[in-house]
Amino acid sequence: MSDSISKTIKEYASEYQAQHLKELLDFLRIPSVSTDSEHVKDIRIAAQWLETELKQLTFEVEVIETAKHPIVYAEKIVDDSLATVLVYGHYDVQPVDPIELWDSDPFDPIVRDGLIIARGATDDKGQVYAHIKGAEVLLNTDGQLPVNLKFLIEGEEEIGSPNLDSFITDNKEKLAADVVLISDNAMVAPNTPTITYGLKGLSYIEVHVKAASHDLHSGAFGGGVPNPINGLAKMIASLHDEQGRVAVPGFYDAVIDVQPEEREAYKRVPFSETEFAEELSLSATPGEANYSLLERLWARPTLDCNGIAGGFQGEGAKTVIASEAMAKISCRLVPNQDHEEITRMLGDFLKENAPEGLSVEVIDLHGGKPALTPMDSKEVQAAAKALSEVFGQETIFARTGGTIPVVSTFQTELKAGVILVGLGLEDDRAHSPNEKFDLVNYYRGIESSAAVLKALADIK
Ligand code: BES
Ligand code: MN
Ligand code: MN
């Protein structure tokens, strides 16, 4: 450590790039899929891997058991007079399916054309690891951290963080912080430093529709019995009106609408509707009437069917009326919608709109709260300035349609300012095949982390 202390952050970070890459690839090799019981061991291995890493950086580390997957908590307290920053992230990842659409093994990371390709590369192992390396850079250049630093890295984010809220509520003193710093989001465009100030919430249900006790010959019974697939299709179609609005009564009651200043600010965001459509090979971008594409993506609540199943799926034609059908439906929510209330309204609406003769069962799968963070606070302004300096570009303020359920808990329970710094890109293929993190964004993420922590030193 000692011979590097005279180096600048930039010098150290660039000298150690190869080492920092090798370590991230090791982390990505651990298949820490939280949804899949086959991977419970790997989840633990990932938690222990982080424990070892953080101990090497002289943090005090605990791996804390929960009802499901462990939480990794680490801290390094420098001086009570300094600001305390809590970095939150998650080490769990999404499943890899459909595996056949990957060009390489999702858990055998490769670097190709300047991209790190692996499950978790951007969401969120790569981004959270950039902060761990940010701390390393500071320790090995300045010899000490500029702030008291805590890490809270969970293993259940992709399953809705079921055990995290109670952990935070029960450990307010341990977790106490002036600022919570998170990179589990994205920049609006390449080379554009971004602070995300709005996240959507989530209400997610599964609906089962049943009719006869068994599948029926469609010739012998067609026209005389209810068809669960026809019925479910009709129910799903009833969820939107002609204006692209969600038709569930009360759905918009609590919505804080896009403010006029926000509308103006969105026009200055480097976002092209044409490029957006082209990149996704789309011929149109339909949605709620009277709102721009960016407003719909960032600030309006939405409803989508995520999956649908039922009946004959095999080769050729089979003349049959299935006895049941199923759909998965999610709503993305905005402040101040309440996910429990929305789940109830949606379930009631589906039941009321079910065609005659069908039984409907609604299962609540999970939910998450939306969040908005202030843009004018001292800490956010300090972070924005630091990011601008690292990138040589002005920092942009953006919202996103994604959900990080714990953000609103940090605000209400820890009373901390939350800063969401996107280190990856919106099209990093999170949750998709060939998930990636650009090498430049990883390296710049490490520098950004160090710069932001330095800038937060005296915000207290
Ligand atoms: N990192 C994402 C959240 C995110 C996505 C933020 C896109 C910004 C842009 C997070 O890991 C995630 O996937 N969250 C889930 C919700 C959770 C309750 C399963 C999501 O948004 O679908
Ligand atoms: Mn994530
Ligand atoms: Mn995710």
Side-chain angles (χ1 to χ4, degrees):
M1 198 190 270
S2 51
D3 71 314
S4 51
I5 285 185
S6 57
K7 291 194 172 75
T8 65
I9 288 177
K10 243 192 157 51
E11 282 165 354
Y12 179 94
S14 77
E15 187 172 322
Y16 280 80
Q17 278 183 354
Q19 175 63 23
H20 292 164
L21 174 61
K22 185 200 156 288
E23 290 168 8
L24 174 57
L25 298 187
D26 286 344
F27 188 27
L28 292 171
R29 230 166 255 127
I30 308 167
S32 47
V33 182
S34 51
T35 49
D36 192 341
S37 54
E38 269 186 24
H39 287 289
V40 281
K41 267 215 185 101
D42 300 311
I43 279 275
R44 247 146 235 288
I45 293 171
Q48 283 155 5
W49 191 90
L50 284 172
E51 182 186 21
T52 310
E53 273 292 307
L54 286 157
K55 275 192 174 153
Q56 266 168 16
L57 293 177
T58 65
F59 277 76
E60 277 180 42
V61 194
E62 289 172 79
V63 175
I64 299 153
E65 291 303 324
T66 74
K68 209 166 177 122
H69 302 318
I71 292 168
V72 179
Y73 176 74
E75 66 174 37
K76 195 164 169 67
I77 305 300
V78 182
D79 188 319
D80 281 345
S81 67
L82 294 172
T84 300
V85 178
L86 175 80
V87 172
Y88 162 82
H90 61 95
Y91 67 83
D92 64 320
V93 300
Q94 284 276 331
V96 296
D97 334 276
I99 182 78
E100 65 280 4
L101 296 183
W102 284 79
D103 298 328
S104 57
D105 182 340
F107 296 115
D108 189 5
I110 57 162
V111 178
R112 200 180 52 213
D113 303 332
L115 310 173
I116 304 165
I117 302 167
R119 173 56 87 228
T122 189
D123 187 10
D124 177 42
K125 283 169 154 177
Q127 293 197 70
V128 76
Y129 199 63
H131 285 289
I132 296 180
K133 294 294 101 177
E136 177 194 304
V137 168
L138 288 166
L139 284 166
N140 289 351
T141 51
D142 295 349
Q144 187 52 283
L145 296 173
V147 292
N148 300 312
L149 189 56
K150 302 177 175 182
F151 280 97
L152 175 65
I153 310 176
E154 69 157 323
E156 299 186 333
E157 197 279 340
E158 300 292 6
I159 53 173
S161 305
N163 296 297
L164 193 59
D165 276 5
S166 61
F167 175 77
I168 293 171
T169 316
D170 296 345
N171 292 279
K172 282 188 201 173
E173 236 165 81
K174 186 204 247 326
L175 302 174
D178 300 294
V179 174
V180 176
L181 179 60
I182 302 176
S183 294
D184 188 22
N185 49 307
M187 285 180 242
V188 283
N191 306 316
T192 312
T194 305
I195 292 183
T196 303
Y197 68 94
L199 293 161
K200 284 189 183 174
L202 180 67
S203 144
Y204 202 126
I205 62 156
E206 188 172 297
V207 52
H208 291 260
V209 175
K210 292 187 183 153
S213 57
H214 52 275
D215 289 1
L216 302 168
H217 190 289
S218 65
F221 292 93
V225 296
N227 180 322
I229 301 176
N230 294 359
L232 180 58
K234 202 166 177 186
M235 287 155 65
I236 293 171
S238 73
L239 291 168
H240 287 98
D241 69 14
E242 289 303 312
Q243 299 300 304
R245 284 171 60 89
V246 176
V248 178
F251 185 80
Y252 293 98
D253 285 0
V255 169
I256 300 178
D257 205 353
V258 192
Q259 303 298 302
E261 315 85 77
E262 259 188 311
R263 284 211 146 163
E264 284 313 304
Y266 285 11
K267 291 182 187 150
R268 296 191 296 270
V269 172
F271 174 80
S272 146
E273 301 197 4
T274 326
E275 275 171 34
F276 174 87
E278 266 169 20
E279 273 165 24
L280 300 174
S281 309
L282 291 171
S283 60
T285 51
E288 188 182 3
N290 304 322
Y291 289 95
S292 73
L293 178 51
L294 212 48
E295 287 167 354
R296 285 182 265 131
L297 293 172
W298 286 0
R300 293 295 295 169
T302 57
L303 181 151
D304 279 285
C305 185
N306 295 244
I308 185 161
F312 179 60
Q313 316 266 328
E315 199 180 326
K318 181 185 183 205
T319 46
V320 67
I321 297 174
S323 62
E324 56 180 283
M326 182 279 285
K328 307 227 182 207
I329 299 170
S330 69
C331 302
R332 292 289 177 169
L333 311 175
V334 301
N336 282 330
Q337 286 175 299
D338 177 282
H339 66 88
E340 283 168 10
E341 204 179 342
I342 294 291
T343 299
R344 193 173 40 70
M345 285 175 186
L346 174 60
D348 289 350
F349 182 80
L350 286 167
K351 285 177 185 161
E352 280 155 23
N353 283 279
E356 207 184 354
L358 296 176
S359 76
V360 178
E361 188 197 356
V362 175
I363 304 166
D364 177 358
L365 289 182
H366 62 211
K369 294 190 185 109
L372 278 175
T373 65
M375 282 182 261
D376 51 7
S377 68
K378 261 201 305 200
E379 62 267 18
V380 170
Q381 288 303 319
K385 185 161 170 275
L387 287 172
S388 296
E389 282 162 13
V390 171
F391 282 73
Q393 296 281 341
E394 209 191 320
T395 300
I396 294 263
F397 286 85
R399 287 173 71 162
T400 173
T403 304
I404 307 173
V406 71
V407 167
S408 89
T409 314
F410 286 135
Q411 295 176 318
T412 55
E413 298 298 304
L414 299 186
K415 313 258 182 284
V418 178
I419 310 178
L420 289 142
V421 177
L423 302 179
L425 296 173
E426 211 70 74
D427 74 345
D428 275 344
R429 301 185 183 237
H431 299 202
S432 274
N434 304 318
E435 180 177 347
K436 56 97 171 163
F437 193 21
D438 295 45
L439 267 181
V440 288
N441 288 336
Y442 176 47
Y443 296 142
R444 198 144 48 188
I446 296 172
E447 262 184 66
S448 300
S449 171
V452 168
L453 290 176
K454 269 196 132 139
L456 293 174
D458 51 12
I459 52 112
K460 202 168 156 183

